[in-house]
């Protein structure tokens, strides 16, 4: 049932717009690989970028997505948790983390993440979290 909830609310991130690049070390190449579903190449490019800039929240967020797509859910969770509250990727990372927790059936953690999202009245994924919460929480937990 929780995995069904995951499939009802999951959405594929489309990646960022890029220009064609001839340098294989660029973020453009990573995004181009991501868009065609070549997650192993994307992972390689992003890890190289991250090696040179540990604080790059764009790279960290997309590594979370890539690790998820590769089935490395623990690593994906680590990347999503590494996104700072001040990052523009924070709301997306919180929502992706909620979906990941549902997928791996980590219900208590999913409930905590859902409550975190719902505690922010301006969270861009609040409506989706409200729908999930209706199925996730019993009446006594709300």
């Amino acid at each position: 049932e929780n995995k069904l909830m995951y499939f009802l609310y999951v959405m594929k991130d489309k990646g960022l717009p890029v220009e064609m690049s001839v340098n294989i070390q660029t973020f453009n190449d990573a995004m181009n690989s991501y868009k065609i579903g070549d997650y192993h190449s994307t992972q390689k490019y992003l890890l190289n970028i991250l090696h040179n800039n540990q604080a790059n929240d764009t790279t960290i967020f997309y590594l979370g997505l890539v690790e998820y797509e590769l089935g490395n859910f623990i690593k994906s969770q680590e990347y999503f948790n590494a996104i700072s509250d001040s990052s523009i990727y924070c709301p997306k990372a919180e929502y992706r983390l909620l979906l990941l927790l549902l997928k791996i059936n980590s219900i208590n953690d999913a409930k905590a993440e859902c409550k975190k999202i719902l505690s922010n009245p301006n969270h861009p994924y609040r409506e989706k979290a409200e729908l999930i919460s209706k199925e996730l929480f019993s009446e006594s937990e709300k």
Side-chain angles (χ1 to χ4, degrees):
E1 184 178 305
N2 295 317
K3 287 182 182 180
L4 177 60
M5 258 195 303
Y6 161 81
F7 286 111
L8 288 173
Y9 297 106
V10 71
M11 58 188 185
K12 177 104 169 102
D13 193 279
K14 295 177 183 172
L16 300 173
V18 298
E19 298 175 4
M20 294 305 289
S21 172
V22 295
N23 181 349
I24 64 167
Q25 301 303 312
T26 65
F27 192 76
N28 289 352
D29 289 322
M31 281 296 100
N32 287 329
S33 293
Y34 178 82
K35 289 177 182 181
I36 63 169
D38 183 358
Y39 301 118
H40 289 286
S41 292
T42 307
Q43 179 190 47
K44 182 181 81 172
Y45 293 134
L46 292 175
L47 286 172
N48 190 20
I49 294 167
L50 188 65
H51 177 72
N52 295 317
N53 184 354
Q54 296 289 315
N56 186 318
D57 60 347
T58 302
T59 303
I60 294 168
F61 176 74
Y62 277 94
L63 274 167
L65 293 177
V66 166
E67 294 295 351
Y68 175 86
E69 293 294 340
L70 293 172
N72 303 327
F73 301 127
I74 301 300
K75 195 69 179 163
S76 176
Q77 186 175 357
E78 290 172 7
Y79 283 121
F80 289 144
N81 280 325
I83 299 290
S84 75
D85 291 341
S86 62
S87 170
I88 61 168
Y89 290 100
C90 182
K92 286 175 113 176
E94 289 173 340
Y95 184 66
R96 292 294 178 156
L97 181 57
L98 171 58
L99 295 175
L100 182 149
L101 294 168
L102 288 171
K103 181 164 179 79
I104 65 173
N105 211 25
S106 184
I107 301 308
N108 288 334
D109 290 337
K111 287 178 179 181
E113 194 63 30
C114 192
K115 285 180 181 179
K116 181 179 176 183
I117 292 170
L118 293 174
S119 71
N120 178 352
N122 298 316
H123 199 288
Y125 295 94
R126 183 179 170 84
E127 285 183 30
K128 291 182 183 217
E130 285 174 350
L131 293 172
I132 291 170
S133 74
K134 290 177 183 177
E135 298 181 51
L136 194 57
F137 294 103
S138 67
E139 285 301 317
S140 64
E141 292 177 297
K142 291 182 181 177

